[in-house]
């Protein structure tokens, strides 16, 4: 039978149309600090400068509850946590409309002078979603409707709530969920992500829980994860919890920033006067300290490695650009913006001031602070504790910038050309 010419042309046309679309994977931010836990988005087509007043706001959701949880975004859903009516909840929001889709209970609200409610970011893994509340309750739910699959508590593993609440964002590694209950029964634990059953607990490290999150190492030929604890930074095998290497760390008060891992190098930083350190890890798990200085003392706003330099705020000093390999400062900026958090997308850093809510767009330059627009969050919450500030990190995903101030979750359209269209009334 000869093919119908019209049908053949239709098949060719559909194939040609589908070919470019196949490469257009929708941008996602499925966990704390993005796909690789490094604060970096790889998407393009975003504004390189902002108009006066900032990018146009797409929507504002005003019922997140209290807390500092940042959003995770996959497909048409955004997931965050908040405390409403004295209960910590996992909340799903439609990214197109800013309307709530569902909520799932996590546990009783943590009360704290620096701010009540949850701190970590949910983790999305396929059809499932994982979240750790500030009291140490961890849940697995189905992403489609929030139905609970299993629950555990850090107390099940000997964990005790740290001073400012559990703030870690759980990491999924193959079939395991990794998190840090801390304490005498073992600092780190692996759970079966499908059932919540304990697979192993790291018995030979008993440091109490602080506030950093585990990251995957990208070293070749071996499974490895890295965690920063109050007294050490360590690499471990996620399959069995065996410690592969460890280096002392003089953590003070609160150890918060996520480690930066690049090939055989591990960079850590902490505020409260501690500083930063770069380690080189040998193939035999030997540890060489490259430098240890106070150029970067990042408290909790995060530091980002880009093109051989680390960018972030150094407590009590300034915004800093630091050479990753040497530890030397390329520049410091003391006046442009108060201490705050940072994220990156499409050749720009998005910096958020923790006191006044100023949002600033800058170049990733090694020559100095080069600003390309700013605006101020408006409105701001009336539910923040007196000691609390705007500590939720910015998130950039699928052409949108997400910012949170307690119960208020902002969504701004930062796609290239959007500002001009908005000004023209389109």
């Amino acid at each position: 039978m000869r093919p119908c010419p019209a049908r053949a042309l239709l098949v060719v046309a559909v194939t040609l149309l589908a070919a470019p679309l196949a490469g257009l994977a929708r941008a996602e931010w499925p966990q704390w600090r993005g796909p690789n836990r490094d604060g970096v988005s790889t998407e393009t087509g975003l504004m390189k400068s902002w108009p006066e007043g900032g990018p146009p706001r797409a929507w504002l959701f005003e019922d997140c509850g209290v807390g500092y949880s940042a959003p995770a975004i996959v497909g048409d859903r955004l997931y965050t946590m908040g405390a409403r009516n004295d209960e910590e909840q996992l909340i799903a929001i439609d990214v197109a409309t800013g309307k709530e889709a569902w909520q799932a209970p996590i546990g009783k609200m943590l009360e704290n002078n620096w701010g009540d409610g949850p701190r970590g970011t949910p983790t999305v893994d396929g059809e499932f979603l994982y979240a750790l509340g500030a009291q140490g309750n961890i849940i697995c739910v189905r992403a489609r409707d929030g139905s609970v699959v299993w629950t555990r508590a850090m107390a099940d593993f000997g964990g005790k709530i740290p001073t400012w609440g559990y703030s870690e964002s759980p990491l999924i590694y193959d079939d395991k969920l990794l998190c840090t209950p801390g304490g005498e029964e073992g600092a780190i634990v692996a759970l079966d992500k499908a059932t919540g059953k304990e697979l192993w607990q790291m018995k030979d490290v008993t440091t109490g829980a602080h506030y950093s999150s585990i990251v995957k190492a990208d070293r070749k030929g071996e499974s490895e994860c890295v965690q920063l604890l109050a007294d050490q930074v360590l690499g471990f095998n996620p399959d069995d919890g065996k410690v592969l290497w460890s280096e002392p760390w003089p953590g003070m008060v609160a150890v918060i920033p996520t480690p930066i891992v690049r090939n055989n190098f591990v960079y850590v930083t902490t505020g409260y006067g501690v500083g930063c350190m770069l380690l080189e890890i040998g193939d035999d798990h030997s540890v060489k300290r490259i430098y240890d200085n106070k150029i970067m003392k990042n408290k909790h706003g995060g530091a980002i490695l880009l093109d051989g330099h680390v960018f972030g705020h150094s407590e009590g000093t300034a915004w800093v650009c630091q050479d990753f390999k040497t530890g030397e400062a390329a520049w410091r900026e003391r006046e442009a913006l108060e201490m705050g958090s940072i994220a990156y997308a499409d050749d720009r850093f998005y910096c958020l001031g923790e006191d006044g809510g100023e949002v600033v767009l800058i170049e990733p330059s090694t020559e100095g602070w080069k600003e390309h627009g700013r605006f101020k969050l408006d409105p701001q919450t009336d539910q923040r504790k007196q000691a609390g500030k705007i500590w939720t990190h910015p998130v950039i995903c699928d052409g949108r910038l997400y910012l949170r101030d307690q119960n208020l979750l902002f969504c701004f359209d930062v796609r290239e050309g959007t500002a001009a269209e908005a000004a023209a009334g389109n």
Side-chain angles (χ1 to χ4, degrees):
M1 180 177 177
R2 297 181 64 185
C4 170
R7 182 177 180 181
L9 287 172
L10 177 62
V11 169
V12 170
V14 169
T15 302
L16 290 173
L17 286 170
L21 292 175
L24 295 177
R26 186 169 185 172
E28 294 183 339
W29 194 274
Q31 59 180 334
W32 165 240
R33 303 193 82 215
N36 298 311
R37 296 200 159 198
D38 57 4
V40 172
S41 168
T42 58
E43 66 180 283
T44 57
L46 307 181
M47 293 182 192
K48 297 300 186 296
S49 61
W50 289 339
E52 185 176 354
R57 193 176 78 192
W59 49 258
L60 171 63
F61 181 72
E62 301 180 74
D63 194 25
C64 276
V66 294
Y68 297 104
S69 176
I73 304 161
V74 172
D76 60 358
R77 289 283 171 86
L78 176 153
Y79 308 96
T80 189
M81 294 184 286
R84 304 187 290 196
N85 300 318
D86 298 323
E87 179 184 67
E88 295 187 349
Q89 298 177 349
L90 177 58
I91 304 166
I93 298 169
D94 185 289
V95 297
T97 64
K99 304 297 183 182
E100 184 171 334
W102 54 255
Q103 65 83 20
I106 299 172
K108 185 178 178 181
M109 177 182 75
L110 174 83
E111 295 187 52
N112 188 277
N113 184 52
W114 296 82
D116 299 336
R119 281 93 161 95
T121 297
T123 301
V124 186
D125 181 58
E127 62 181 292
F128 298 101
L129 183 63
Y130 304 86
L132 175 63
Q135 296 268 27
N137 299 304
I138 189 166
I139 65 170
C140 168
V141 306
R142 290 181 175 84
R144 67 174 181 271
D145 58 10
S147 56
V148 177
V149 179
W150 57 260
T151 65
R152 296 298 302 264
M154 295 298 95
D156 298 343
F157 313 104
K160 295 181 179 179
I161 301 171
T163 303
W164 291 285
Y166 279 101
S167 304
E168 182 180 19
S169 302
L171 175 70
I172 297 298
Y173 193 104
D174 295 335
D175 61 345
K176 292 173 283 295
L177 178 147
L178 305 175
C179 58
T180 312
E184 295 181 358
E185 294 182 26
I188 297 173
V189 69
L191 309 180
D192 184 313
K193 71 179 185 180
T195 65
K197 178 182 177 182
E198 180 184 331
L199 299 176
W200 56 255
Q201 188 164 2
M202 188 182 290
K203 304 292 185 181
D204 51 346
V205 178
T206 57
T207 309
H210 266 235
Y211 312 96
S212 186
S213 294
I214 299 168
V215 294
K216 297 178 182 178
D218 55 3
R219 287 155 53 82
K220 294 181 180 179
E222 185 175 35
S223 297
E224 185 178 325
C225 290
V226 176
Q227 174 62 308
L228 177 62
L229 302 172
D231 59 358
Q232 61 188 292
V233 55
L234 59 84
F236 66 94
N237 187 326
D239 296 325
D240 57 13
K242 178 184 176 182
V243 176
L244 302 175
W245 58 267
S246 177
E247 182 74 2
W249 181 247
M252 297 287 289
V253 185
V255 173
I256 302 172
T258 304
I260 295 173
V261 182
R262 183 63 52 87
N263 300 320
N264 282 13
F265 294 94
V266 175
Y267 176 97
V268 292
T269 179
T270 299
Y272 302 95
V274 175
C276 62
M277 177 173 71
L278 180 68
L279 304 176
E280 184 176 8
I281 312 302
D283 292 339
D284 60 352
H285 304 131
S286 59
V287 179
K288 179 181 179 181
R289 191 176 293 211
I290 305 300
Y291 60 80
D292 179 354
N293 65 40
K294 298 183 185 296
I295 298 295
M296 180 72 78
K297 303 184 296 292
N298 189 259
K299 195 171 181 180
H300 42 56
I304 292 178
L305 172 61
L306 187 73
D307 297 333
H309 287 79
V310 179
F311 297 81
H313 190 276
S314 184
E315 178 193 24
T317 305
W319 288 86
V320 170
C321 172
Q322 180 186 32
D323 188 290
F324 179 65
K325 290 293 181 69
T326 69
E328 297 177 357
W331 56 258
R332 295 180 176 90
E333 172 53 53
R334 292 178 171 85
E335 303 296 332
L337 184 66
E338 68 210 19
M339 183 163 68
S341 53
I342 186 171
Y344 171 87
D346 198 11
D347 199 39
R348 291 291 184 268
F349 285 116
Y350 295 70
C351 303
L352 172 61
E354 64 174 29
D355 287 309
E358 291 279 349
V359 190
V360 184
L361 190 69
I362 69 167
E363 285 186 40
S365 171
T366 59
E367 299 176 356
W369 179 279
K370 298 184 178 181
E371 188 171 319
H372 291 271
R374 70 167 59 208
F375 68 97
K376 188 170 184 175
L377 280 183
D378 184 32
Q380 293 189 19
T381 186
D382 59 2
Q383 298 185 23
R384 194 186 313 135
K385 287 284 187 77
Q386 185 174 359
K389 299 184 180 183
I390 304 174
W391 285 325
T392 304
H393 290 207
V395 167
I396 308 100
C397 182
D398 204 29
R400 303 284 184 93
L401 167 64
Y402 297 91
L403 301 169
R404 180 175 177 179
D405 182 12
Q406 298 293 316
N407 58 304
L408 304 178
L409 178 66
F410 299 80
C411 173
F412 297 93
D413 193 335
V414 293
R415 294 172 298 170
E416 203 167 44
T418 302
E421 294 170 7
N426 295 328

